[in-house]
């Protein structure tokens, strides 16, 4: 599998509406109706690697190598594609929710992460994004969240959330979650429908604000759930909820379970790491579905997060 870096190509799709784009690399022909689906969520961190804190410290010391970035990111996208298909760390994924999926940024090696990963996987994708502010500096944030590399002021590139699918996506929605204070940190989600087991499966991919307090994080999740149509519909809610404390994990779980959602993940499951530190940031919740098996695809070093996956099937009526 080639990992040669390529610049952002001229055939990259234009947004189909404000802040939303689509692409399709699925092979022709209708896919067979599956009896179960493997869904996954992955904060891919623009495919730059897993060294969040050490990488931030190196940049502060002036030790960075931007000329190597395109090749590094291209290689990591290829590694992620292999992890989602080869069956070693997880079963082959049918639906993938991505967060921090950059397009054309310097930090992301000028790559289009969601599009290139979709191309390698032979999937269609939808992506919601927000423009990079051109006339405002990012506001200060908590010191322990300040190791991340920032998009540069006025960059043409952007970051966003995406859904990749082997099955056709319908009813796509770009969802703006409630946020305040800093235009560099708008919170986005993307929702879509998939035909599954003769019914419609709703899939919602959220990237919740790590800078917000617990109540603000819950408000973002509640706002996303208003985009679920039928209360009895099969639903998968997944993404990076940025539950970086035990309190935030417990609160998010309690709120969603009170609304009829379930998760197979024990509270405190490590899905994000920095050195010896492990936190439970990423979740999969389901409603009107059964989880047959699930896991965390540890060992993949494309991001500071690991992919979280679950195999789902309809509950008996």
């Amino acid at each position: 599998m080639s990992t040669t870096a390529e610049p952002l190509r001229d055939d990259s799709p234009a947004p189909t509406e404000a802040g939303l784009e689509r692409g399709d690399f699925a092979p022709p022909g209708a896919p067979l109706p599956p009896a179960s689906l493997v869904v996954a969520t992955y904060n891919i961190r623009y495919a730059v690697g897993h060294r969040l804190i050490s990488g931030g410290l190196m940049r502060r010391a002036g030790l960075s190598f931007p000329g190597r970035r395109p090749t590094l990111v291209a290689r990591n996208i290829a590694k992620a594609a292999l992890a989602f298909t080869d069956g070693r760390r997880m079963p082959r994924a049918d639906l993938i929710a991505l967060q921090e999926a950059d397009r054309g940024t310097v930090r992301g090696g000028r790559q289009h992460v969601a599009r290139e990963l979709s191309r390698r996987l032979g999937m269609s994708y939808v992506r919601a994004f927000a423009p990079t502010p051109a006339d405002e500096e990012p506001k200060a944030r908590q010191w322990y969240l300040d190791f991340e590399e920032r998009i540069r002021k006025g960059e043409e590139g952007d970051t966003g959330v995406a859904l990749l699918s082997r099955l056709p996506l319908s009813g796509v929605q770009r969802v703006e979650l409630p946020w305040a204070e800093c235009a560099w940190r708008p919170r986005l989600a993307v929702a879509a429908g998939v035909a599954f087991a003769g019914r419609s499966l709703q899939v919602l991919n959220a990237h919740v604000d790590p800078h917000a307090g617990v109540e603000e994080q819950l408000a973002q999740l509640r706002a996303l759930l208003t985009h679920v149509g039928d209360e009895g519909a099969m639903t998968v809610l997944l993404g990076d909820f940025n539950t970086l404390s035990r309190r935030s994990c417990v609160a998010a779980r309690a709120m969603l379970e009170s609304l009829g959602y379930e998760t197979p993940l024990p509270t405190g499951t490590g899905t994000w790491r920095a050195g010896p530190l492990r936190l439970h940031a990423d979740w999969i919740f389901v409603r009107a579905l059964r989880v047959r098996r699930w896991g965390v695809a540890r060992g993949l070093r494309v991001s500071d997060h690991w992919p979280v996956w679950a195999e789902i099937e309809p509950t008996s009526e």
Side-chain angles (χ1 to χ4, degrees):
M1 182 178 291
S2 172
T3 59
T4 303
E6 298 178 1
L8 197 62
R9 296 186 301 227
D10 291 339
D11 64 347
S12 294
T16 55
E17 59 186 80
L20 187 67
E21 70 173 81
R22 306 168 190 246
D24 191 355
F25 296 97
L32 295 175
S36 65
L37 287 176
V38 174
V39 300
T41 179
Y42 191 27
N43 183 327
I44 198 167
R45 196 192 167 217
Y46 44 97
V48 77
H50 69 290
R51 299 184 183 278
L52 173 65
I53 294 177
S54 60
L57 293 174
M58 289 178 66
R59 284 193 303 276
R60 294 177 188 182
L63 300 174
S64 62
F65 307 95
R68 301 179 184 177
R69 190 62 61 87
T71 299
L72 170 66
V73 172
R75 183 184 303 122
N76 281 337
I77 292 171
K79 289 179 181 178
L82 190 63
F84 283 123
T85 55
D86 69 0
R88 292 179 55 204
R89 292 187 172 92
M90 58 177 286
R92 189 184 80 151
D94 300 299
L95 284 162
I96 303 170
L98 290 183
Q99 305 86 40
E100 295 190 20
D102 280 18
R103 177 194 65 87
T105 62
V106 173
R107 70 180 189 176
R110 304 283 188 188
Q111 301 293 307
H112 190 323
V113 174
R115 181 176 171 82
E116 180 60 18
L117 184 58
S118 297
R119 185 182 70 79
R120 288 182 175 275
L121 292 172
M123 288 181 160
S124 61
Y125 77 91
V126 294
R127 178 176 173 271
F129 62 94
T132 302
D135 55 358
E136 179 181 337
E137 294 288 348
K139 295 184 179 178
R141 47 191 178 179
Q142 299 95 323
W143 68 267
Y144 53 86
L145 296 172
D146 203 28
F147 294 99
E148 191 58 84
E149 187 173 356
R150 294 176 177 175
I151 297 176
R152 300 178 184 182
K153 181 179 176 180
E155 270 194 59
E156 293 183 0
D158 54 62
T159 193
V161 294
L163 284 173
L164 283 58
S165 178
R166 298 192 187 281
L167 302 171
L169 296 169
S170 61
V172 177
Q173 300 179 71
R174 177 186 186 275
V175 182
E176 290 200 24
L177 306 179
W179 59 274
E181 295 187 3
C182 184
W184 283 75
R185 296 196 292 268
R187 288 295 120 181
L188 295 175
V190 62
V194 173
F196 176 46
R199 297 157 60 190
S200 177
L201 168 67
Q202 296 179 303
V203 185
L204 303 98
N205 170 19
H207 191 192
V208 174
D209 192 354
H211 309 273
V214 172
E215 289 306 317
E216 290 83 3
Q217 289 186 329
L218 296 180
Q220 291 182 353
L221 290 172
R222 290 191 190 98
L224 178 57
L225 294 179
T226 64
H227 292 264
V228 176
D230 180 2
E231 290 188 359
M234 299 186 298
T235 306
V236 176
L237 169 62
L238 72 175
D240 179 3
F241 293 3
N242 271 309
T243 43
L244 304 181
S245 68
R246 178 77 181 182
R247 177 171 172 251
S248 59
C249 283
V250 170
R253 182 179 196 128
M255 188 269 284
L256 290 168
E257 288 182 342
S258 74
L259 297 173
Y261 291 84
E262 299 177 345
T263 180
L265 279 69
T267 301
T269 301
T271 68
W272 173 92
R273 86 295 207 174
L277 186 63
R278 302 288 186 271
L279 296 176
H280 189 169
D282 309 274
W283 294 81
I284 298 175
F285 282 86
V286 301
R287 188 183 62 181
L289 294 161
R290 179 184 298 108
V291 175
R292 296 176 59 178
R293 51 181 176 154
W294 69 277
V296 180
R298 295 188 174 92
L300 186 62
R301 297 189 172 190
V302 170
S303 168
D304 53 341
H305 294 246
W306 289 303
V308 180
W309 62 271
E311 184 180 4
I312 60 172
E313 63 184 4
T315 55
S316 300
E317 296 185 358

